[in-house]
């Protein structure tokens, strides 16, 4: 059966255009997100692992190695089965540090640009045979379809077949350039790759079903056929007993993680979190479906006496069976497999070449748009790789089977295995070990396998050695084991014998997943995002630097005015990550180290507490056992501090704020999120100055610092203590406690005021006592003088003296009353009817006809009683009512009313006078303070009221104006306990 | 290391049973698809473990 070349070419191009369409539709958002972001799409896209070799070549492998061929799937399947353990740490590293390729990973881990260059070289050599393999598979199957099952021998000329292969390469290069050359996640590409995986797995399964049910007539018939041809069953079991099968398993395990395209898909594009879990069973299932048809197809080929090479049985079986549709399906399946692998390999190799060969050597950026430059570089590299692959394919001239080419590539990728395993599992491994080990292993591979492939030589003659060393693919098993052994031995020995640098050790610890205890708080000498931009523009050019800084600020939700050291450190890290994505981890860290270097800390252990905390919060669910317990303990202590009803903050040695609890938030009004990681000097006033000057001072306490908050004066006491870090030589951080003592201060002031009143009272009592005696003397003498003298003038003088002494006596009497002379002790208090007291006072006042006449109104009920001294309570009301009367206009009303609040009785005396001026309110209870005319009042009345009420366990307060509408009147509220005695005793 | 305990246990079980499994697998009297049966079993186990883990996470 043959097909017209035009038909096949048309079908191939149509299929490739379909892939274009899917990628384009995805990028334009025409395919729903539910499909694009579904874990199955991602898992199918991983199917690029199964290249044209696993569509065709693996049949040949099954022929040669029996069940050993399954190692190809089992090795990879096992790796994905344990993805949460093996791949997840790598994917996490890749995500956090924007590691895009295997070379990036090695550069990050071993802190050496040289490793990046070397890894890229080795990878380039390794994938060339793989690229050639894909092209060869497509060209060969094209030839089979167009020339029949037994094509004419190949000629050494550039045939139509080569032209078709070239056209295929050109279309694929275009596809890759269009959908893969930007730096973002390749959504379109991934969906297209998922589709091609689906096509190839379906195609292979259909051919498998054709083999079992079409060729043999069912599973039972297949068993019968196998029992009739036992040599086929023997083929399954015999080879796996040899060592080569074990070597194969080793090679294929390495392939799964080291092959650039698989690394890219499994580690870099692994963005969907839930996919990491689904992958554990779904990808092995995909591989099972790919592996299931292998043996039936092989046997069907034997049964049909297929004349072509074993590797093309998947196409040969439907052709010999006589089914054009199934033949085309098989061809498209193979084409699909080759396409996916070619695109993915090219992309990852492009990134490697760009980041590890071109960017470190040539300087890009400056005044040109760096993004455009990089885009064009990537495009050129993609084209160059396709050309390289095609030329390599031409140079091989179809002399090697697909299996040979694939194993050749896989054995070289095996050389990366020691270096990769050490990334996660052996922090001791160092860069010298990797460089020497990888170089030696690759050299043995190059001489033993690659050189014979290119030059055709089959033995190495060493001067002085009689027998030549045999080379070539027949010895692949030995060469593989030798190269790997030498590689591992050199890696281990050199790593143990030499010391790694500090930076390398730091990276190694990060990679080993032990980084939680290590983030150091390194200082930057840059203080604003604008400064970042200005520094970076020296390397990237002004426009590029501005775009990068703006992007990083956006990603971190920071403002351009940010000045917090903590935030600026995050900004630097984000810039490094973004630049790594753009130009590779090596170049990015070089730029950042050159222009925005971290200052080496003076002391070793300044841990970045904020970073540790945020990471712990992020990884909380990952912690188990002791770590989880410790984290719970940490959270408990943290919450204790956070909810402490005292304002607490802690500061690093460099005055960076490390903690700011809730009470502190409430006291200062500065949210924790804003202040964490700030330098103390940058926080809002007055707190910056208050806490800053205290933290720099030597004193450990400062009492009652006065600060103005919201137009009110507050008093704050500060206390501090130093915190010793966990490391022995660590610097001392500070914990500072702020205490708002405003209320206490106000109470103290009130107490001082009361004390002053009391002392003035005591003074008055003393003065009264001392003045009383001489006054009595003067009074007697004046009376004598009056009675004994006949002179009218003298008698008038005596009368005036008597009048003045009488006035002095009244004042003294008031003073004596004020000084509590003769007051009852609380034990002697009797129940007093307040209504009667008020009536008595009113009665007394009504007798004074010469004063302003006002209406007194007593609204108290007769049931209101308190325990007290009735005479002194009458005195209280006399004083209050007389003051009210004096302040009232003629005919005004003075009302005494009462209300009850729980155990307190409030008696209010309200007048309709002019009220009390605000400036007098504070002093009105002071002794000798009066607003009356000289001679009218002593200024002791209200003081006495205050003293008597205090003695009764009560309190007095004043409202003025009592009538807010008219803004007039004053109200004196006397609060007396209903049972003062029980409370007082 | 704690989170990898089940993995260590699984490897130990595999090591202990591998000769038996291997002999059963390559027994010439058995069906040719025996390796695939084991493979399928492993996938089912992985699926069950993954489902349980997701429930735990929730």
């Amino acid at each position: 059966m043959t097909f017209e070349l035009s038909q096949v070419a048309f079908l191939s191009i149509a299929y490739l255009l379909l892939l274009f369409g899917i990628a384009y539709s995805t990028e334009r958002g025409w395919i729903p997100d539910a499909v694009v972001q579904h874990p199955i799409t991602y898992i199918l896209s991983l199917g690029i692992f199964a290249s044209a070799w696993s569509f065709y070549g693996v049949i040949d492998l099954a022929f040669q190695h029996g069940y050993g061929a399954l190692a190809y799937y089992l090795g990879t399947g096992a790796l994905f089965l344990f993805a949460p353990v093996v791949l997840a740490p790598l994917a996490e590293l890749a995500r956090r540090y924007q590691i895009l390729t295997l070379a990036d990973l090695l550069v990050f881990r071993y802190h050496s640009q040289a490793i990046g260059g070397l890894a890229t070289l080795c990878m380039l050599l390794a994938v060339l045979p793989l690229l050639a393999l894909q092209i060869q598979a497509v060209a060969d199957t094209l030839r089979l379809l167009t020339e029949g099952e037994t094509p004419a021998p190949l000629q050494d000329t550039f045939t139509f077949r080569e032209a078709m292969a070239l056209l295929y390469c050109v279309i694929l290069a275009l596809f890759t350039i269009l959908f893969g050359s930007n730096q973002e996640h390749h959504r379109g590409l991934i969906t297209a790759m998922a589709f091609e995986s689906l096509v190839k797995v379906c195609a292979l399964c259909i051919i498998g079903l054709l083999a079992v049910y079409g060729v043999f007539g069912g599973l039972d018939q297949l068993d019968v056929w196998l029992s009739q041809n036992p040599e086929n069953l023997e083929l399954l079991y015999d080879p796996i007993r040899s060592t080569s099968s074990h070597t194969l398993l080793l090679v294929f395990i390495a392939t799964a993680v080291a092959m650039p395209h698989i690394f890219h898909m499994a580690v870099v594009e692994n963005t969907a979190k839930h996919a990491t879990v689904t992958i554990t069973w779904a990808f092995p299932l995909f591989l099972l479906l790919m592996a299931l048809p292998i043996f039936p197809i092989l046997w069907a080929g034997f049964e049909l006496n297929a004349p072509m090479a074993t590797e093309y049985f998947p196409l040969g079986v439907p052709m010999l069976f006589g089914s054009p549709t199934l033949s085309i399906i098989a061809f498209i399946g193979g084409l699909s497999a080759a396409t996916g692998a070619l695109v993915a390999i090219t992309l990852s190799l492009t990134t490697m070449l760009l980041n590890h060969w071109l960017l470190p050597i040539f300087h890009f950026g400056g005044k040109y748009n760096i993004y455009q430059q990089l885009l064009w570089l990537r495009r050129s590299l993609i084209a160059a790789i396709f050309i390289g692959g095609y030329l390599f394919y031409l140079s091989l001239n179809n002399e090697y089977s697909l299996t040979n080419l694939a194993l050749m590539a896989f054995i070289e990728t095996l050389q990366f295995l020691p270096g990769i395993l050490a990334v996660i599992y052996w922090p001791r491994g160092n860069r010298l070990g990797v460089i020497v080990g990888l170089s030696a292993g690759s050299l043995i591979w190059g001489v033993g396998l690659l050189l014979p492939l290119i030059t055709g030589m089959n033995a190495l003659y060493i001067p002085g050695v009689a027998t030549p060393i045999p080379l070539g693919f027949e010895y692949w098993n030995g060469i593989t084991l030798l190269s790997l052994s030498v590689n591992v031995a050199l890696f281990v020995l050199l790593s143990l014998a030499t010391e790694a640098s500090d930076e390398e050790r730091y990276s190694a610890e990060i990679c080993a997943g032990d980084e939680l205890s290590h983030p150091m708080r390194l200082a930057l000498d840059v203080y604003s995002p604008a400064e970042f931009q200005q520094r970076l523009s020296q390397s990237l050019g002004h426009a590029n630097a501005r775009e990068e800084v703006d992007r990083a600020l956006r990603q971190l939700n920071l403002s351009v005015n940010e000045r917090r050291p903590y935030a600026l450190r995050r900004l630097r890290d984000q810039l490094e990550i973004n630049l790594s994505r753009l130009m590779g981890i090596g170049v990015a860290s070089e730029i950042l180290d050159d222009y925005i270097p971290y200052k080496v800390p003076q002391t070793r252990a300044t841990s970045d507490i904020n970073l540790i905390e945020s990471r712990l919060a992020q990884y909380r669910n990952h912690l188990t056992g002791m770590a989880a317990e410790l984290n719970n303990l940490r959270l408990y202590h943290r919450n204790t501090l956070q909810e402490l009803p005292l304002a607490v903050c802690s500061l690093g040695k460099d005055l960076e704020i490390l903690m700011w609890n809730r009470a502190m938030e409430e006291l200062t009004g500065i949210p924790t999120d804003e202040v964490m990681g700030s330098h103390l000097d940058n926080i809002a006033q007055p707190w910056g100055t208050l806490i800053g000057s205290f933290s720099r001072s030597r004193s450990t306490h400062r009492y009652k610092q006065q600060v103005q908050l919201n137009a009110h004066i507050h008093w704050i006491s500060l206390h501090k203590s130093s915190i010793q870090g966990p490391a022995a030589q660590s610097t001392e951080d500070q914990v500072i406690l702020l205490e708002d003592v405003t209320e206490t201060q106000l109470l103290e002031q009130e107490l001082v005021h009361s004390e002053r009143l009391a002392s003035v009272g005591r003074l008055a009592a003393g003065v009264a006592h001392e003045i009383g005696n001489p006054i009595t003397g003067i009074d007697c003498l004046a009376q004598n003088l009056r009675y004994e003298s006949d002179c009218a003038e003298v008698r008038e003088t005596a009368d005036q003296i008597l009048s003045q002494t009488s006035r002095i006596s009244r004042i003294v009497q008031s003073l004596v009353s004020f000084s509590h002379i003769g007051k009852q002790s609380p034990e002697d208090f009797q129940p007093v009817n307040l209504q009667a007291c008020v009536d008595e006072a009113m009665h007394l006042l009504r007798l004074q006809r010469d004063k302003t006449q006002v209406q007194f109104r007593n609204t108290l009920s007769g049931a209101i009683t308190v325990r007290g001294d009735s005479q002194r309570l009458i005195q209280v009301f006399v004083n209050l009512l007389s003051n009210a009367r004096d302040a009232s206009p003629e005919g005004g009303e003075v009302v005494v009313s009462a209300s009850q609040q729980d155990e307190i009785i409030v008696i209010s005396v309200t007048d309709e006078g002019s009220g009390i001026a605000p400036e007098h309110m504070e002093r009105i209870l002071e002794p000798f303070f009066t607003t009356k005319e000289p001679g009218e009042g002593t200024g002791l009345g209200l003081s006495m009221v205050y003293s008597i009420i205090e003695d009764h366990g009560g309190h007095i307060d004043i409202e003025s104006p009592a009538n807010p509408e008219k803004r007039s009147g004053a109200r004196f509220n006397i609060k007396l306990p209903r049972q003062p005695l029980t409370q007082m005793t | 290391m704690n989170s990898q305990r089940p993995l260590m246990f699984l490897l130990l079980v595999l090591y202990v049973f591998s000769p038996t499994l291997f002999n059963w697998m390559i027994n010439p009297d058995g069906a040719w698809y025996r390796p695939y049966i084991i493979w399928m079993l492993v996938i089912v186990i992985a699926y069950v473990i993954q489902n349980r883990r997701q429930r735990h996470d929730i």
Side-chain angles (χ1 to χ4, degrees):
Chain A
M1 179 200 300
T2 54
F3 292 84
E4 287 299 317
L5 188 60
S6 55
Q7 287 177 326
V8 183
F10 173 75
L11 275 172
S12 310
I13 291 170
Y15 177 71
L16 291 178
L17 285 177
L18 180 64
L19 284 186
F20 268 70
I22 289 172
Y24 184 73
S25 317
T26 311
E27 300 228 317
R28 300 303 298 262
W30 295 338
I31 296 180
D33 275 359
V35 176
V36 176
Q37 287 174 357
H38 198 277
I40 294 295
T41 307
Y42 168 66
I43 286 157
L44 278 175
S45 74
L46 277 177
I48 52 151
F49 160 76
S51 67
W53 185 67
S54 44
F55 199 87
Y56 298 121
V58 81
I59 308 284
D60 186 31
L61 196 71
F63 175 58
Q64 289 178 33
H65 298 277
Y67 278 147
L70 294 184
Y72 178 52
Y73 298 102
L74 290 178
T76 315
L79 194 80
F80 282 93
L81 198 64
F82 297 118
V85 182
V86 186
L87 289 180
L90 282 179
E92 179 56 32
L93 267 182
R95 191 188 58 77
R96 193 185 295 165
Y97 299 98
Q98 290 300 318
I99 290 166
L100 297 179
T101 60
L102 182 61
D104 277 351
L105 179 71
L106 296 178
V107 168
F108 177 75
R109 161 64 177 81
Y110 298 102
H111 221 81
S112 157
Q113 279 281 13
I115 287 191
L118 179 69
T120 306
L121 174 69
C122 294
M123 205 52 94
L124 181 67
L125 293 176
V127 298
L128 274 179
L130 208 59
L131 290 174
L133 178 158
Q134 315 298 330
I135 302 170
Q136 182 173 319
V138 172
D140 280 351
T141 48
L142 201 67
R143 185 155 154 263
L144 277 173
L145 275 184
T146 51
E147 295 182 18
E149 298 84 0
T150 47
L154 278 170
Q155 274 128 36
D156 247 0
T157 52
F158 189 81
T159 60
F160 197 72
R161 184 179 66 99
E162 266 80 45
M164 283 303 291
L166 182 61
L167 180 65
Y168 172 66
C169 285
V170 170
I171 294 176
L172 270 199
L174 269 177
F175 177 78
T176 318
I177 285 170
L178 276 178
F179 297 103
S181 52
N182 64 343
Q183 280 285 346
E184 301 306 315
H185 280 286
H186 312 113
R187 289 176 62 195
L189 198 70
I190 286 179
T191 318
M193 294 299 108
F195 177 74
E196 71 85 9
S197 288
L198 193 65
V199 168
K200 79 185 161 208
V201 74
C202 289
L204 205 62
C205 286
I206 289 170
I207 301 159
L209 288 173
L210 171 75
V212 175
Y213 293 97
V215 178
F216 291 109
L219 275 174
D220 296 342
Q221 294 301 315
L222 176 62
D223 283 342
V224 172
W225 182 86
L226 281 172
S227 60
Q228 286 166 357
N229 301 278
E231 70 279 6
N232 287 308
L233 274 180
E234 280 304 306
L235 265 180
L236 288 181
Y237 307 118
D238 276 348
I240 52 169
R241 296 191 178 98
S242 72
T243 54
S244 61
S245 294
H246 301 290
T247 318
L248 273 183
L249 189 64
L250 193 64
V251 169
F252 293 138
I253 285 181
T255 308
V257 65
M259 263 294 163
H261 56 303
I262 302 170
F263 182 89
H264 183 82
M265 294 304 291
V267 174
V268 182
E269 302 281 0
N270 189 353
T271 48
K273 192 169 173 251
H274 49 291
T276 320
V277 196
T278 316
I279 213 174
T280 55
W281 61 269
F283 195 65
L285 183 64
F286 171 83
L287 293 177
L288 176 68
L289 291 175
M290 287 293 289
L292 203 51
I294 295 176
F295 295 107
I297 292 174
L298 177 69
W299 296 325
F302 290 151
E303 173 66 8
L304 295 170
N305 287 320
M308 70 279 288
T310 330
E311 55 200 13
Y312 294 119
F313 278 6
L315 182 61
V317 168
M319 283 177 74
L320 290 166
F321 190 73
S323 165
T325 317
L326 292 182
S327 306
I328 287 295
I329 288 176
F331 171 73
I332 293 290
L335 180 76
S336 211
T339 305
L342 264 179
V343 171
I345 293 171
T346 309
L347 276 181
S348 43
L349 203 60
T350 305
T351 312
M352 276 195 188
L353 287 169
L354 185 68
N355 292 352
H356 300 284
W357 278 15
L358 296 186
L359 288 176
I361 297 172
F362 302 109
H363 181 77
F364 293 100
K367 60 183 175 174
Y368 304 106
N369 185 334
I370 196 166
Y371 309 103
Q372 283 299 319
Q373 284 181 332
L374 289 174
L375 190 66
W376 281 105
L377 264 178
R378 286 179 68 81
R379 286 175 178 168
S380 321
L381 276 173
I382 289 171
I385 291 168
F386 270 102
I387 294 169
Y390 182 73
L391 290 178
F392 193 72
Y393 154 73
L394 280 186
S395 73
L396 294 179
N397 205 21
N398 247 36
E399 285 171 12
Y400 298 92
S401 73
L402 301 183
T403 307
N404 289 4
L405 290 174
L407 281 181
M408 182 90 66
F410 296 163
I411 292 165
E412 172 56 7
T413 55
L414 179 63
Q415 308 305 328
F416 288 94
L417 196 60
I420 296 173
L421 287 181
V423 167
I424 300 179
Y425 300 109
W426 199 43
R428 186 83 172 80
N430 66 21
R431 80 175 70 145
L432 187 69
V434 172
I435 291 178
V436 175
L438 179 61
S439 309
S442 299
L443 192 69
I444 295 172
W445 167 82
V447 173
L449 293 174
L450 187 66
L451 214 57
L453 184 84
I454 298 169
T455 61
M457 64 187 275
N458 55 13
L460 185 65
Y461 296 93
I462 300 173
V465 179
T467 45
I469 301 168
L471 303 174
F473 201 78
E474 303 86 75
Y475 308 100
W476 71 268
N477 190 20
I479 292 170
T480 307
L481 292 178
L482 178 72
S483 61
L484 187 66
S485 310
V486 171
N487 181 347
V488 170
L490 285 172
F491 175 48
V492 172
L493 286 177
L494 285 172
S495 294
L496 291 177
T498 56
E499 283 294 321
S501 66
D502 279 353
E503 290 91 356
E504 192 184 333
R505 266 210 299 271
Y506 181 59
S507 302
E509 280 166 0
I510 289 178
C511 291
D514 192 24
E515 89 279 35
L516 278 180
S517 56
H518 288 279
M520 308 283 262
R521 205 170 67 238
L522 302 171
L524 284 173
D525 59 348
V526 181
Y527 302 102
S528 70
E531 227 173 310
F532 270 89
Q533 195 179 311
Q534 182 240 326
R535 297 255 189 116
L536 280 182
S537 60
Q538 295 169 35
S539 161
L540 300 177
H542 185 66
N544 300 325
R546 193 180 57 201
E547 186 158 347
E548 282 302 319
V549 172
D550 284 352
R551 189 212 314 259
L553 284 172
R554 268 200 310 279
Q555 285 165 328
L556 294 171
N557 272 333
L558 297 176
S559 90
V560 282
N561 302 318
E562 190 59 73
R563 294 185 63 81
R564 287 184 290 163
Y566 166 74
L568 294 178
R569 287 198 299 273
R570 297 290 84 75
L571 180 65
R572 185 197 186 276
D573 292 350
Q574 188 65 41
L575 277 169
E576 186 164 356
I577 285 169
N578 291 354
L579 287 179
S580 295
R581 190 166 184 77
L582 196 66
M583 42 195 10
I585 203 154
V587 178
S589 60
E590 204 177 291
I591 292 177
L592 269 293
D593 286 347
D594 282 353
Y595 295 101
I596 311 173
Y598 275 128
K599 282 194 282 194
V600 178
Q602 290 168 344
T603 44
R604 277 185 67 81
T606 35
S607 303
D608 197 337
I609 302 280
N610 294 324
L611 187 61
I612 296 177
E613 287 239 288
S614 66
R615 285 201 186 153
L616 275 175
Q618 210 175 340
Y619 292 109
R620 218 173 130 188
N621 296 334
H622 296 225
L623 299 175
T624 55
M626 188 75 86
E629 290 296 319
L630 282 172
N631 191 42
N632 286 340
L633 197 63
R634 172 192 77 85
L635 280 177
Y636 179 77
H637 288 309
R638 182 172 176 77
N639 287 343
T640 309
L641 275 177
Q642 196 62 32
E643 302 302 330
L644 200 71
L646 283 174
V648 177
C649 68
S650 70
L651 306 173
K653 179 84 176 167
D654 48 4
L655 297 189
E656 191 172 315
I657 293 168
L658 303 178
M659 199 205 57
W660 193 263
N661 79 348
R662 196 186 300 279
M664 195 77 178
E665 235 178 28
E666 282 165 14
L667 175 64
T668 57
I670 307 174
T672 307
D673 295 343
E674 270 180 29
V675 82
M676 286 292 272
S678 293
H679 193 273
L680 197 53
D681 294 341
N682 294 336
I683 64 173
Q685 292 305 343
W687 304 106
T689 320
L690 181 74
I691 304 175
S693 70
F694 176 59
S695 99
R696 288 187 190 93
S697 75
R698 288 181 143 201
S699 59
T700 50
H701 302 281
R702 256 186 202 179
Y703 295 103
K704 294 182 187 164
Q705 303 295 305
Q706 202 166 322
V707 286
Q708 180 110 17
L709 296 177
N710 303 327
H712 287 102
I713 290 181
H714 282 241
W715 286 268
I716 308 282
S717 289
L718 299 104
H719 314 275
K720 78 172 172 195
S721 171
S722 53
I723 321 172
Q724 194 79 33
Q729 302 164 331
S730 72
T731 55
E732 284 184 352
D733 293 350
Q734 291 179 343
V735 58
I736 293 183
L737 193 140
L738 267 68
E739 211 182 344
D740 188 356
V741 290
T742 308
E743 266 185 42
T744 322
Q745 175 71 11
L746 290 177
L747 279 174
E748 267 177 27
Q749 280 181 353
E750 199 170 323
L751 195 66
V752 167
H753 184 65
S754 303
E755 190 55 39
R756 195 159 59 128
L757 294 187
S759 63
V760 172
R762 280 194 297 276
L763 176 74
V767 169
H769 187 73
E770 290 303 319
I771 290 174
N773 292 338
I775 289 296
T776 313
I778 294 169
D779 201 46
C780 290
L781 288 172
Q783 280 187 21
N784 285 347
L785 192 66
R786 187 176 166 215
Y787 290 118
E788 287 169 9
S789 173
D790 295 327
C791 175
E793 211 169 303
V794 171
R795 285 170 65 159
E796 192 183 348
T797 308
D799 277 343
Q800 280 180 359
I801 292 172
L802 281 174
S803 144
Q804 293 302 323
T805 51
S806 148
R807 189 173 164 209
I808 293 173
S809 295
R810 274 204 315 279
I811 295 173
V812 167
Q813 192 55 48
S814 299
L815 278 173
V816 168
S817 302
F818 174 70
S819 62
H820 313 168
I821 293 163
K823 72 176 181 184
Q824 281 182 315
S825 65
E827 287 80 15
D828 300 329
F829 281 171
Q830 299 292 324
V832 177
N833 186 326
L834 285 180
Q835 189 196 29
C837 285
V838 173
D839 278 345
E840 176 82 27
M842 286 177 173
H843 178 69
L844 283 172
L845 289 172
R846 284 192 191 104
L847 295 176
Q848 291 182 306
R849 300 276 175 199
D850 55 331
K851 300 284 181 179
T852 319
Q853 290 302 305
V854 294
Q855 274 310 111
F856 287 114
R857 191 149 63 88
N858 180 4
T859 66
L860 261 59
S861 90
I864 301 176
T865 51
V866 292
R867 289 179 80 86
D869 179 342
S870 61
Q871 286 308 311
R872 299 182 70 208
L873 285 176
I874 291 171
Q875 177 85 58
V876 165
F877 290 115
V878 167
N879 284 354
L880 288 180
L881 289 171
S882 67
N883 273 350
R885 180 195 62 193
D886 294 346
S888 294
E890 188 71 31
E893 190 178 39
V894 176
V895 183
V896 181
S897 58
S899 63
Q900 192 166 327
Q901 300 169 354
D902 300 329
E903 293 303 307
I904 304 280
I905 290 170
V906 183
I907 300 115
S908 307
V909 178
T910 314
D911 64 51
E912 295 176 342
S914 53
I916 304 160
E919 64 269 24
H920 295 151
M921 289 285 271
E922 288 276 312
R923 303 187 58 203
I924 201 160
L925 295 175
E926 281 183 18
F928 305 113
F929 178 79
T930 180
T931 56
K932 292 176 180 169
E933 293 294 316
E936 290 285 312
T938 57
L940 286 170
L942 281 178
S943 300
M944 203 185 298
V945 167
Y946 176 83
S947 301
I948 295 170
I949 297 299
E950 292 276 307
D951 287 344
H952 280 76
H955 184 70
I956 184 164
D957 63 43
I958 305 158
E959 290 173 49
S960 177
N963 186 343
E965 287 169 15
K966 292 185 181 169
R967 303 201 59 77
S968 67
R971 181 179 295 128
F972 286 75
N973 296 316
I974 298 166
K975 295 175 181 171
L976 285 170
R978 285 184 74 191
Q979 291 176 316
L981 279 182
T982 51
Q983 286 177 0
M984 286 158 71
T985 51
Chain B
M1 207 59 193
N2 280 334
S3 59
Q4 295 177 18
R5 255 188 233 158
L7 177 73
M8 294 294 159
F9 180 69
L10 188 66
L11 288 180
L12 184 71
V13 169
L14 275 182
Y15 179 74
V16 169
F17 288 99
S18 59
T20 321
L21 270 178
F22 198 68
N23 283 335
W24 179 79
M25 206 170 75
I26 63 168
N27 182 0
D29 299 332
W32 58 272
Y33 44 78
R34 275 187 175 179
Y36 296 98
I37 294 175
I38 295 175
W39 192 341
M40 196 62 218
L41 267 178
V42 171
I43 291 171
V44 169
I45 292 169
Y47 177 76
V48 170
I49 290 175
Q50 180 238 311
N51 264 10
R52 278 178 48 185
R53 182 174 297 178
Q54 273 184 345
R55 272 210 304 276
H56 273 298
D57 282 355
I58 290 163

